[in-house]
Amino acid sequence: TLIADGININVTLLFALSAYQAVAEAFMAGLEARVAAGQPVAGVASVASFFVSRIDAVIDKAIDKRVAAGEMELGRLRGKVAIANAKLAYQWYLAMVAGSRWKALEAAGAQPQRLLWASTGVKDKAYSDVLYVEELIGRDTVDTIPPATMDAFRDHGQPRDSLAEGVDEARRVLEDAARASLDLDGVTRALVKDGVRLFADAADSLLGSVAAKRAAMLDDRLCRVTIGKLPDALDGAVQAEMERWRSEGLIRRLWARDASLWTGTDEAKWLGWLGAVDAGYLALPELQRFQDSVRSEGYRHVLLLGMGGSSLGPEVLAETFGRQDGFPELLVLDSTDPQQVAAFEARVDLARTLVIVSSKSGGTLEPNILKAYFWDRMRAAAGDKAGQHFVAVTDPGSKLQQDAKTDGFRHVFHGDPAIGGRYSVLSPFGLVPAAAMGFDLKAFLDSAAFTVRSCGAGTPPKANPGVQLGVLVGVAAKMGRDKLTVLASPGLRDVGAWLEQLVAESTGKQGHGIVPVDDEPVGPPEVYGGDRLFAYLRLASDPGMPEVAALEAAGQPVVRLDLADRGQLGQAFFLWEMATAVAGAVIGIDPFDQPDVEASKVETKKLTDAYAASGKLPDEAPFLVSEGIKLFADPANQDALRQESLEDVIRAHLDRAGPGDYVAFLAYIERDGPHIEALRRMRTLVRDRKRVATCVGFGPRFLHSTGQAYKGGPNSGVFLQITADDAQDLGVPGAPYSFGVVKAAQARGDFDVLAERGRRALRVHLGSDVGAGLARLARAVEAAVG
């Protein structure tokens, strides 16, 4: 094909006669294609690089072993097989150029593809130092000669037309070698593989040097990954896996969208995030026009309604960067808790608010009912102009797109169907909210592009931060360090919530997985077990955390991610996306599906359908009521936890957490400051006393995040679900149920799936006074852990 395109080609690493014949045939076929297309052939050149002395180096070793074992007659073949092989290749060439097929091409002006002799330096000092030069001289050939060999030939070489000599002897040498089973074909095949490996090694070394110099030149424009001292066993396993990624070219396979890198199913259709930054550049004019219109219309707030990947990335942007001068404040609502919905409504003046409804599929329950609610409220505030206050971000053809058209939304931005929700922050699902809040999108994409290139197919693993981080995370998880504990400096504190979903939903399945631990207060080294890998995210302008150095000194593995400024957040996003995909390959799972998220949705729908039919949720009975707190569990967990008091039940439940386990507080209550702090105190107490990792999730948002790992990952979680009666409820316009009913159904559906998966789970229902109930639960937890 390349010859037909008129490109001059050096075809190298030829050892076998059959390989050379195939190359020569391809050369002629390319020229014939040019002639047939009416194109000139006179300027098209090629050589076929045929390697010589390496063959003798291998064959002679085999001969020497057999001579030493008594097969003395084989000694006469030493130093002869490679030259014989080359002479027969030249004879084939002479026959080819004498044939009618070549004569027709020659008449059209073609020049022959010359045989080029490579590897002509002598490896064995028993031979003449000009052996391979003297015996490989012939018309229309090229000889590549090492400088020392060239000097020797100038001194005492004897030039002659040697390739035409001893052809019959050459045939006898190869026949004798075949009878002696010296396996010339096997040797040449092995030499090709070894030669390719050497070329690849050299290319990786060169590309690694280029990457290192590039990183040095970019300096603090790149966020930095630094892996501290690892325990010996972990370090050895990481180095071995890194070499596998290098030797097998796995990062190139990833960028080539090779699904066999993971499970060989449908992974290739979910790799659109690899090109999200490039696509973002193409979308900049449209996004800039949208941004300009938002600024000119004087909105005070942008309210994003979403869930999971549609909300967590924008939430990080809003919390990390805050309000931008001249632009509205971005608020992100991803809850069905009626108190939280009401609180967000109270924060905004709807007449001066832009609402972004963000849903990839357009069929997700939470954004749909939130849209219904705020659409109804906006109609009351803005009348017939309500649609001009709404924007949709969704995949092409979704139900949300259809509804947006019907309702007259001001704009619909399309996501890429090849990008899953948790990998979508650098796609329109992140860029549209960023534009609305006044981000400098080009600067953001420019910065992110630096790390995209750093993680590219041409960057070898040891210089590739995405591979380095992903291999460490994946290997650590396989070796039992599957609690990825995020420590973040104040300026990056909210990144962990996004990272939770990316890592947990991508890796927690089929009994495998990485459990991200976010927002757990850092403690002294003695409260941590051997199941941790720490990821320390630091903004350069933030003070350092001396506790991190203490963890490293105690032998805990720590990987540091340093950002020179907040503008490098896009780099961190892509870096962790790449690392998660790499870790999925190391673990051996598909990091782009979420099979167990659907299970909770199914159970929730059963309960909401039951409510729609009967006006109430199915009855349930607590197995213990204590001071207004009700305890629920499935029969198996009840049998393990049946005690006389709240403290004793909590104690029995937490005592089920052993080394390598984690305790997760799953709270279906309003996510506000006091509730967050109350749960943080409880988790810290459990962590310090039980020496286990702890997680906190607010429902229903964690269902689209860590919920996948809790149900599909390893059975190492001890779950304490927290529910309460709603002080106030809100109806869902056009639906037979309220937000409170939906939240209750989600909690019960979640618990049912945990129980069905054999998880250690207990539900604590606090009643109507959430603050008092949390305080009572905190006392019980303190008494339980001693």
Side-chain angles (χ1 to χ4, degrees), residues 683-717:
R683 75 183 295 186
T684 304
L685 187 62
V686 171
R687 190 272 314 276
D688 290 352
R689 302 286 175 82
K690 305 295 288 187
R691 303 295 197 260
V692 295
T694 61
C695 304
V696 169
F698 280 86
R701 69 189 241 147
F702 82 83
L703 293 178
H704 300 262
S705 177
T706 51
Q708 167 65 42
Y710 296 160
K711 300 175 186 69
N715 191 2
S716 53

PDB file of all heavy atoms in Angstrom, residues 683-717:
ATOM      1  N   ARG A 683     -18.049   8.289  62.357  1.00  0.00           N
ATOM      2  CA  ARG A 683     -17.145   7.467  61.552  1.00  0.00           C
ATOM      3  C   ARG A 683     -15.735   7.498  62.121  1.00  0.00           C
ATOM      4  O   ARG A 683     -15.023   6.496  62.101  1.00  0.00           O
ATOM      5  CB  ARG A 683     -17.163   7.910  60.084  1.00  0.00           C
ATOM      6  CG  ARG A 683     -16.406   9.213  59.822  1.00  0.00           C
ATOM      7  CD  ARG A 683     -16.475   9.696  58.395  1.00  0.00           C
ATOM      8  NE  ARG A 683     -15.829   8.794  57.463  1.00  0.00           N
ATOM      9  CZ  ARG A 683     -15.674   9.068  56.170  1.00  0.00           C
ATOM     10  NH1 ARG A 683     -16.110  10.223  55.666  1.00  0.00           N
ATOM     11  NH2 ARG A 683     -15.074   8.210  55.376  1.00  0.00           N
ATOM     12  N   THR A 684     -15.323   8.673  62.607  1.00  0.00           N
ATOM     13  CA  THR A 684     -13.979   8.779  63.173  1.00  0.00           C
ATOM     14  C   THR A 684     -13.843   7.914  64.416  1.00  0.00           C
ATOM     15  O   THR A 684     -12.818   7.241  64.623  1.00  0.00           O
ATOM     16  CB  THR A 684     -13.661  10.245  63.512  1.00  0.00           C
ATOM     17  OG1 THR A 684     -13.838  11.044  62.334  1.00  0.00           O
ATOM     18  CG2 THR A 684     -12.239  10.392  64.002  1.00  0.00           C
ATOM     19  N   LEU A 685     -14.871   7.903  65.246  1.00  0.00           N
ATOM     20  CA  LEU A 685     -14.857   7.085  66.447  1.00  0.00           C
ATOM     21  C   LEU A 685     -14.743   5.607  66.086  1.00  0.00           C
ATOM     22  O   LEU A 685     -13.939   4.859  66.665  1.00  0.00           O
ATOM     23  CB  LEU A 685     -16.134   7.335  67.257  1.00  0.00           C
ATOM     24  CG  LEU A 685     -16.226   6.698  68.640  1.00  0.00           C
ATOM     25  CD1 LEU A 685     -15.136   7.234  69.555  1.00  0.00           C
ATOM     26  CD2 LEU A 685     -17.614   6.962  69.235  1.00  0.00           C
ATOM     27  N   VAL A 686     -15.524   5.176  65.097  1.00  0.00           N
ATOM     28  CA  VAL A 686     -15.471   3.769  64.670  1.00  0.00           C
ATOM     29  C   VAL A 686     -14.103   3.453  64.073  1.00  0.00           C
ATOM     30  O   VAL A 686     -13.506   2.409  64.365  1.00  0.00           O
ATOM     31  CB  VAL A 686     -16.595   3.478  63.655  1.00  0.00           C
ATOM     32  CG1 VAL A 686     -16.412   2.098  63.030  1.00  0.00           C
ATOM     33  CG2 VAL A 686     -17.966   3.584  64.327  1.00  0.00           C
ATOM     34  N   ARG A 687     -13.583   4.339  63.239  1.00  0.00           N
ATOM     35  CA  ARG A 687     -12.262   4.116  62.632  1.00  0.00           C
ATOM     36  C   ARG A 687     -11.182   3.964  63.698  1.00  0.00           C
ATOM     37  O   ARG A 687     -10.362   3.037  63.664  1.00  0.00           O
ATOM     38  CB  ARG A 687     -11.943   5.283  61.698  1.00  0.00           C
ATOM     39  CG  ARG A 687     -10.713   5.123  60.783  1.00  0.00           C
ATOM     40  CD  ARG A 687      -9.407   5.578  61.391  1.00  0.00           C
ATOM     41  NE  ARG A 687      -9.430   6.846  62.058  1.00  0.00           N
ATOM     42  CZ  ARG A 687      -9.290   8.043  61.453  1.00  0.00           C
ATOM     43  NH1 ARG A 687      -9.110   8.112  60.176  1.00  0.00           N
ATOM     44  NH2 ARG A 687      -9.299   9.156  62.181  1.00  0.00           N
ATOM     45  N   ASP A 688     -11.188   4.871  64.677  1.00  0.00           N
ATOM     46  CA  ASP A 688     -10.132   4.871  65.680  1.00  0.00           C
ATOM     47  C   ASP A 688     -10.225   3.668  66.612  1.00  0.00           C
ATOM     48  O   ASP A 688      -9.186   3.130  67.030  1.00  0.00           O
ATOM     49  CB  ASP A 688     -10.191   6.158  66.501  1.00  0.00           C
ATOM     50  CG  ASP A 688      -9.786   7.383  65.692  1.00  0.00           C
ATOM     51  OD1 ASP A 688      -9.318   7.197  64.559  1.00  0.00           O
ATOM     52  OD2 ASP A 688      -9.943   8.512  66.187  1.00  0.00           O
ATOM     53  N   ARG A 689     -11.443   3.251  66.954  1.00  0.00           N
ATOM     54  CA  ARG A 689     -11.592   2.151  67.910  1.00  0.00           C
ATOM     55  C   ARG A 689     -11.541   0.781  67.237  1.00  0.00           C
ATOM     56  O   ARG A 689     -11.021  -0.178  67.794  1.00  0.00           O
ATOM     57  CB  ARG A 689     -12.919   2.298  68.666  1.00  0.00           C
ATOM     58  CG  ARG A 689     -13.062   3.626  69.410  1.00  0.00           C
ATOM     59  CD  ARG A 689     -12.221   3.697  70.668  1.00  0.00           C
ATOM     60  NE  ARG A 689     -12.282   5.019  71.293  1.00  0.00           N
ATOM     61  CZ  ARG A 689     -13.255   5.436  72.091  1.00  0.00           C
ATOM     62  NH1 ARG A 689     -14.277   4.637  72.347  1.00  0.00           N
ATOM     63  NH2 ARG A 689     -13.221   6.644  72.604  1.00  0.00           N
ATOM     64  N   LYS A 690     -12.086   0.672  66.031  1.00  0.00           N
ATOM     65  CA  LYS A 690     -12.161  -0.632  65.361  1.00  0.00           C
ATOM     66  C   LYS A 690     -11.024  -0.845  64.355  1.00  0.00           C
ATOM     67  O   LYS A 690     -10.841  -1.963  63.865  1.00  0.00           O
ATOM     68  CB  LYS A 690     -13.497  -0.772  64.627  1.00  0.00           C
ATOM     69  CG  LYS A 690     -14.733  -0.568  65.491  1.00  0.00           C
ATOM     70  CD  LYS A 690     -14.891  -1.630  66.554  1.00  0.00           C
ATOM     71  CE  LYS A 690     -15.289  -2.960  65.985  1.00  0.00           C
ATOM     72  NZ  LYS A 690     -15.589  -3.946  67.051  1.00  0.00           N
ATOM     73  N   ARG A 691     -10.292   0.215  64.036  1.00  0.00           N
ATOM     74  CA  ARG A 691      -9.171   0.125  63.086  1.00  0.00           C
ATOM     75  C   ARG A 691      -9.629  -0.346  61.700  1.00  0.00           C
ATOM     76  O   ARG A 691      -8.981  -1.163  61.050  1.00  0.00           O
ATOM     77  CB  ARG A 691      -8.063  -0.797  63.605  1.00  0.00           C
ATOM     78  CG  ARG A 691      -7.495  -0.414  64.974  1.00  0.00           C
ATOM     79  CD  ARG A 691      -6.788   0.937  64.915  1.00  0.00           C
ATOM     80  NE  ARG A 691      -5.903   1.148  66.055  1.00  0.00           N
ATOM     81  CZ  ARG A 691      -6.213   1.880  67.128  1.00  0.00           C
ATOM     82  NH1 ARG A 691      -7.422   2.436  67.225  1.00  0.00           N
ATOM     83  NH2 ARG A 691      -5.348   2.053  68.109  1.00  0.00           N
ATOM     84  N   VAL A 692     -10.787   0.156  61.289  1.00  0.00           N
ATOM     85  CA  VAL A 692     -11.295  -0.183  59.963  1.00  0.00           C
ATOM     86  C   VAL A 692     -11.589   1.102  59.196  1.00  0.00           C
ATOM     87  O   VAL A 692     -11.813   2.163  59.790  1.00  0.00           O
ATOM     88  CB  VAL A 692     -12.576  -1.048  60.037  1.00  0.00           C
ATOM     89  CG1 VAL A 692     -12.282  -2.401  60.661  1.00  0.00           C
ATOM     90  CG2 VAL A 692     -13.695  -0.328  60.803  1.00  0.00           C
ATOM     91  N   ALA A 693     -11.600   1.009  57.878  1.00  0.00           N
ATOM     92  CA  ALA A 693     -11.942   2.154  57.043  1.00  0.00           C
ATOM     93  C   ALA A 693     -13.423   2.469  57.202  1.00  0.00           C
ATOM     94  O   ALA A 693     -14.248   1.594  57.468  1.00  0.00           O
ATOM     95  CB  ALA A 693     -11.630   1.843  55.583  1.00  0.00           C
ATOM     96  N   THR A 694     -13.765   3.743  57.029  1.00  0.00           N
ATOM     97  CA  THR A 694     -15.161   4.163  57.153  1.00  0.00           C
ATOM     98  C   THR A 694     -15.559   5.025  55.967  1.00  0.00           C
ATOM     99  O   THR A 694     -14.748   5.771  55.413  1.00  0.00           O
ATOM    100  CB  THR A 694     -15.390   4.964  58.448  1.00  0.00           C
ATOM    101  OG1 THR A 694     -14.576   6.141  58.428  1.00  0.00           O
ATOM    102  CG2 THR A 694     -15.068   4.127  59.677  1.00  0.00           C
ATOM    103  N   CYS A 695     -16.828   4.912  55.593  1.00  0.00           N
ATOM    104  CA  CYS A 695     -17.377   5.687  54.482  1.00  0.00           C
ATOM    105  C   CYS A 695     -18.687   6.323  54.933  1.00  0.00           C
ATOM    106  O   CYS A 695     -19.382   5.786  55.799  1.00  0.00           O
ATOM    107  CB  CYS A 695     -17.660   4.801  53.266  1.00  0.00           C
ATOM    108  SG  CYS A 695     -16.236   3.858  52.682  1.00  0.00           S
ATOM    109  N   VAL A 696     -19.018   7.452  54.342  1.00  0.00           N
ATOM    110  CA  VAL A 696     -20.303   8.103  54.566  1.00  0.00           C
ATOM    111  C   VAL A 696     -20.901   8.422  53.209  1.00  0.00           C
ATOM    112  O   VAL A 696     -20.233   9.009  52.350  1.00  0.00           O
ATOM    113  CB  VAL A 696     -20.161   9.392  55.399  1.00  0.00           C
ATOM    114  CG1 VAL A 696     -21.469  10.187  55.370  1.00  0.00           C
ATOM    115  CG2 VAL A 696     -19.794   9.071  56.834  1.00  0.00           C
ATOM    116  N   GLY A 697     -22.158   8.028  53.016  1.00  0.00           N
ATOM    117  CA  GLY A 697     -22.862   8.354  51.790  1.00  0.00           C
ATOM    118  C   GLY A 697     -24.235   8.901  52.105  1.00  0.00           C
ATOM    119  O   GLY A 697     -24.905   8.400  53.010  1.00  0.00           O
ATOM    120  N   PHE A 698     -24.622   9.945  51.380  1.00  0.00           N
ATOM    121  CA  PHE A 698     -25.970  10.481  51.532  1.00  0.00           C
ATOM    122  C   PHE A 698     -26.834   9.964  50.386  1.00  0.00           C
ATOM    123  O   PHE A 698     -26.462  10.062  49.215  1.00  0.00           O
ATOM    124  CB  PHE A 698     -25.947  12.007  51.543  1.00  0.00           C
ATOM    125  CG  PHE A 698     -25.551  12.593  52.874  1.00  0.00           C
ATOM    126  CD1 PHE A 698     -24.210  12.770  53.185  1.00  0.00           C
ATOM    127  CD2 PHE A 698     -26.506  12.939  53.813  1.00  0.00           C
ATOM    128  CE1 PHE A 698     -23.829  13.300  54.415  1.00  0.00           C
ATOM    129  CE2 PHE A 698     -26.134  13.461  55.049  1.00  0.00           C
ATOM    130  CZ  PHE A 698     -24.793  13.639  55.354  1.00  0.00           C
ATOM    131  N   GLY A 699     -27.985   9.404  50.758  1.00  0.00           N
ATOM    132  CA  GLY A 699     -28.891   8.894  49.743  1.00  0.00           C
ATOM    133  C   GLY A 699     -29.811  10.000  49.239  1.00  0.00           C
ATOM    134  O   GLY A 699     -30.162  10.916  49.984  1.00  0.00           O
ATOM    135  N   PRO A 700     -30.197   9.919  47.950  1.00  0.00           N
ATOM    136  CA  PRO A 700     -29.901   8.805  47.041  1.00  0.00           C
ATOM    137  C   PRO A 700     -28.641   8.988  46.208  1.00  0.00           C
ATOM    138  O   PRO A 700     -28.342   8.166  45.353  1.00  0.00           O
ATOM    139  CB  PRO A 700     -31.118   8.790  46.127  1.00  0.00           C
ATOM    140  CG  PRO A 700     -31.467  10.256  46.007  1.00  0.00           C
ATOM    141  CD  PRO A 700     -31.179  10.848  47.363  1.00  0.00           C
ATOM    142  N   ARG A 701     -27.880  10.058  46.438  1.00  0.00           N
ATOM    143  CA  ARG A 701     -26.777  10.335  45.513  1.00  0.00           C
ATOM    144  C   ARG A 701     -25.729   9.229  45.512  1.00  0.00           C
ATOM    145  O   ARG A 701     -25.157   8.914  44.462  1.00  0.00           O
ATOM    146  CB  ARG A 701     -26.148  11.699  45.791  1.00  0.00           C
ATOM    147  CG  ARG A 701     -25.381  11.859  47.055  1.00  0.00           C
ATOM    148  CD  ARG A 701     -25.004  13.328  47.272  1.00  0.00           C
ATOM    149  NE  ARG A 701     -23.553  13.506  47.311  1.00  0.00           N
ATOM    150  CZ  ARG A 701     -22.923  14.584  46.870  1.00  0.00           C
ATOM    151  NH1 ARG A 701     -23.609  15.563  46.307  1.00  0.00           N
ATOM    152  NH2 ARG A 701     -21.615  14.683  46.953  1.00  0.00           N
ATOM    153  N   PHE A 702     -25.475   8.593  46.656  1.00  0.00           N
ATOM    154  CA  PHE A 702     -24.451   7.549  46.670  1.00  0.00           C
ATOM    155  C   PHE A 702     -24.886   6.314  45.891  1.00  0.00           C
ATOM    156  O   PHE A 702     -24.052   5.487  45.508  1.00  0.00           O
ATOM    157  CB  PHE A 702     -24.061   7.174  48.108  1.00  0.00           C
ATOM    158  CG  PHE A 702     -24.989   6.206  48.775  1.00  0.00           C
ATOM    159  CD1 PHE A 702     -24.871   4.838  48.575  1.00  0.00           C
ATOM    160  CD2 PHE A 702     -26.005   6.661  49.606  1.00  0.00           C
ATOM    161  CE1 PHE A 702     -25.730   3.945  49.190  1.00  0.00           C
ATOM    162  CE2 PHE A 702     -26.863   5.782  50.224  1.00  0.00           C
ATOM    163  CZ  PHE A 702     -26.737   4.414  50.005  1.00  0.00           C
ATOM    164  N   LEU A 703     -26.215   6.154  45.658  1.00  0.00           N
ATOM    165  CA  LEU A 703     -26.673   5.006  44.867  1.00  0.00           C
ATOM    166  C   LEU A 703     -26.066   5.027  43.465  1.00  0.00           C
ATOM    167  O   LEU A 703     -25.856   3.978  42.855  1.00  0.00           O
ATOM    168  CB  LEU A 703     -28.203   5.017  44.760  1.00  0.00           C
ATOM    169  CG  LEU A 703     -28.989   4.785  46.048  1.00  0.00           C
ATOM    170  CD1 LEU A 703     -30.487   4.888  45.773  1.00  0.00           C
ATOM    171  CD2 LEU A 703     -28.648   3.430  46.647  1.00  0.00           C
ATOM    172  N   HIS A 704     -25.799   6.211  42.952  1.00  0.00           N
ATOM    173  CA  HIS A 704     -25.216   6.371  41.615  1.00  0.00           C
ATOM    174  C   HIS A 704     -23.705   6.550  41.695  1.00  0.00           C
ATOM    175  O   HIS A 704     -23.073   6.999  40.751  1.00  0.00           O
ATOM    176  CB  HIS A 704     -25.845   7.583  40.923  1.00  0.00           C
ATOM    177  CG  HIS A 704     -27.323   7.477  40.760  1.00  0.00           C
ATOM    178  ND1 HIS A 704     -27.921   7.070  39.586  1.00  0.00           N
ATOM    179  CD2 HIS A 704     -28.329   7.705  41.646  1.00  0.00           C
ATOM    180  CE1 HIS A 704     -29.234   7.066  39.744  1.00  0.00           C
ATOM    181  NE2 HIS A 704     -29.507   7.448  40.986  1.00  0.00           N
ATOM    182  N   SER A 705     -23.126   6.179  42.805  1.00  0.00           N
ATOM    183  CA  SER A 705     -21.696   6.375  43.034  1.00  0.00           C
ATOM    184  C   SER A 705     -21.112   5.147  43.705  1.00  0.00           C
ATOM    185  O   SER A 705     -20.900   4.124  43.067  1.00  0.00           O
ATOM    186  CB  SER A 705     -21.504   7.640  43.892  1.00  0.00           C
ATOM    187  OG  SER A 705     -20.162   7.852  44.207  1.00  0.00           O
ATOM    188  N   THR A 706     -20.891   5.243  45.014  1.00  0.00           N
ATOM    189  CA  THR A 706     -20.294   4.117  45.741  1.00  0.00           C
ATOM    190  C   THR A 706     -21.246   2.944  45.880  1.00  0.00           C
ATOM    191  O   THR A 706     -20.817   1.833  46.203  1.00  0.00           O
ATOM    192  CB  THR A 706     -19.850   4.579  47.136  1.00  0.00           C
ATOM    193  OG1 THR A 706     -20.943   5.257  47.769  1.00  0.00           O
ATOM    194  CG2 THR A 706     -18.665   5.523  47.048  1.00  0.00           C
ATOM    195  N   GLY A 707     -22.543   3.173  45.640  1.00  0.00           N
ATOM    196  CA  GLY A 707     -23.514   2.083  45.763  1.00  0.00           C
ATOM    197  C   GLY A 707     -23.184   0.883  44.913  1.00  0.00           C
ATOM    198  O   GLY A 707     -23.485  -0.259  45.289  1.00  0.00           O
ATOM    199  N   GLN A 708     -22.567   1.111  43.758  1.00  0.00           N
ATOM    200  CA  GLN A 708     -22.165  -0.022  42.902  1.00  0.00           C
ATOM    201  C   GLN A 708     -21.168  -0.922  43.613  1.00  0.00           C
ATOM    202  O   GLN A 708     -21.309  -2.142  43.638  1.00  0.00           O
ATOM    203  CB  GLN A 708     -21.567   0.502  41.595  1.00  0.00           C
ATOM    204  CG  GLN A 708     -20.841  -0.534  40.753  1.00  0.00           C
ATOM    205  CD  GLN A 708     -21.753  -1.623  40.236  1.00  0.00           C
ATOM    206  OE1 GLN A 708     -22.865  -1.367  39.792  1.00  0.00           O
ATOM    207  NE2 GLN A 708     -21.295  -2.867  40.305  1.00  0.00           N
ATOM    208  N   ALA A 709     -20.151  -0.326  44.236  1.00  0.00           N
ATOM    209  CA  ALA A 709     -19.137  -1.131  44.926  1.00  0.00           C
ATOM    210  C   ALA A 709     -19.711  -1.802  46.162  1.00  0.00           C
ATOM    211  O   ALA A 709     -19.331  -2.929  46.503  1.00  0.00           O
ATOM    212  CB  ALA A 709     -17.948  -0.248  45.316  1.00  0.00           C
ATOM    213  N   TYR A 710     -20.630  -1.117  46.860  1.00  0.00           N
ATOM    214  CA  TYR A 710     -21.209  -1.711  48.059  1.00  0.00           C
ATOM    215  C   TYR A 710     -21.968  -3.000  47.743  1.00  0.00           C
ATOM    216  O   TYR A 710     -21.974  -3.936  48.542  1.00  0.00           O
ATOM    217  CB  TYR A 710     -22.160  -0.718  48.737  1.00  0.00           C
ATOM    218  CG  TYR A 710     -21.498   0.535  49.264  1.00  0.00           C
ATOM    219  CD1 TYR A 710     -22.240   1.687  49.526  1.00  0.00           C
ATOM    220  CD2 TYR A 710     -20.119   0.590  49.490  1.00  0.00           C
ATOM    221  CE1 TYR A 710     -21.643   2.842  49.999  1.00  0.00           C
ATOM    222  CE2 TYR A 710     -19.510   1.742  49.959  1.00  0.00           C
ATOM    223  CZ  TYR A 710     -20.280   2.864  50.209  1.00  0.00           C
ATOM    224  OH  TYR A 710     -19.682   4.011  50.679  1.00  0.00           O
ATOM    225  N   LYS A 711     -22.575  -3.038  46.566  1.00  0.00           N
ATOM    226  CA  LYS A 711     -23.386  -4.215  46.214  1.00  0.00           C
ATOM    227  C   LYS A 711     -22.628  -5.211  45.347  1.00  0.00           C
ATOM    228  O   LYS A 711     -22.805  -6.422  45.478  1.00  0.00           O
ATOM    229  CB  LYS A 711     -24.653  -3.758  45.485  1.00  0.00           C
ATOM    230  CG  LYS A 711     -25.532  -2.831  46.306  1.00  0.00           C
ATOM    231  CD  LYS A 711     -26.704  -2.327  45.461  1.00  0.00           C
ATOM    232  CE  LYS A 711     -27.503  -1.282  46.225  1.00  0.00           C
ATOM    233  NZ  LYS A 711     -26.729  -0.027  46.401  1.00  0.00           N
ATOM    234  N   GLY A 712     -21.799  -4.701  44.437  1.00  0.00           N
ATOM    235  CA  GLY A 712     -21.143  -5.593  43.496  1.00  0.00           C
ATOM    236  C   GLY A 712     -19.701  -5.907  43.814  1.00  0.00           C
ATOM    237  O   GLY A 712     -19.128  -6.831  43.244  1.00  0.00           O
ATOM    238  N   GLY A 713     -19.095  -5.132  44.732  1.00  0.00           N
ATOM    239  CA  GLY A 713     -17.697  -5.340  45.072  1.00  0.00           C
ATOM    240  C   GLY A 713     -17.517  -6.453  46.083  1.00  0.00           C
ATOM    241  O   GLY A 713     -18.416  -7.263  46.324  1.00  0.00           O
ATOM    242  N   PRO A 714     -16.358  -6.509  46.710  1.00  0.00           N
ATOM    243  CA  PRO A 714     -16.106  -7.558  47.698  1.00  0.00           C
ATOM    244  C   PRO A 714     -17.039  -7.409  48.900  1.00  0.00           C
ATOM    245  O   PRO A 714     -17.432  -6.297  49.266  1.00  0.00           O
ATOM    246  CB  PRO A 714     -14.644  -7.330  48.094  1.00  0.00           C
ATOM    247  CG  PRO A 714     -14.361  -5.907  47.727  1.00  0.00           C
ATOM    248  CD  PRO A 714     -15.205  -5.609  46.536  1.00  0.00           C
ATOM    249  N   ASN A 715     -17.394  -8.535  49.511  1.00  0.00           N
ATOM    250  CA  ASN A 715     -18.314  -8.523  50.657  1.00  0.00           C
ATOM    251  C   ASN A 715     -17.540  -8.170  51.925  1.00  0.00           C
ATOM    252  O   ASN A 715     -17.414  -8.971  52.846  1.00  0.00           O
ATOM    253  CB  ASN A 715     -19.000  -9.879  50.804  1.00  0.00           C
ATOM    254  CG  ASN A 715     -20.141  -9.835  51.799  1.00  0.00           C
ATOM    255  OD1 ASN A 715     -20.453  -8.791  52.361  1.00  0.00           O
ATOM    256  ND2 ASN A 715     -20.772 -10.983  52.026  1.00  0.00           N
ATOM    257  N   SER A 716     -17.028  -6.953  51.952  1.00  0.00           N
ATOM    258  CA  SER A 716     -16.214  -6.508  53.087  1.00  0.00           C
ATOM    259  C   SER A 716     -16.820  -5.300  53.785  1.00  0.00           C
ATOM    260  O   SER A 716     -16.184  -4.698  54.647  1.00  0.00           O
ATOM    261  CB  SER A 716     -14.792  -6.170  52.618  1.00  0.00           C
ATOM    262  OG  SER A 716     -14.810  -5.249  51.549  1.00  0.00           O
ATOM    263  N   GLY A 717     -18.058  -4.964  53.442  1.00  0.00           N
ATOM    264  CA  GLY A 717     -18.691  -3.807  54.039  1.00  0.00           C
ATOM    265  C   GLY A 717     -19.650  -4.170  55.158  1.00  0.00           C
ATOM    266  O   GLY A 717     -20.342  -5.202  55.094  1.00  0.00           O
TER     267      GLY A 717
END
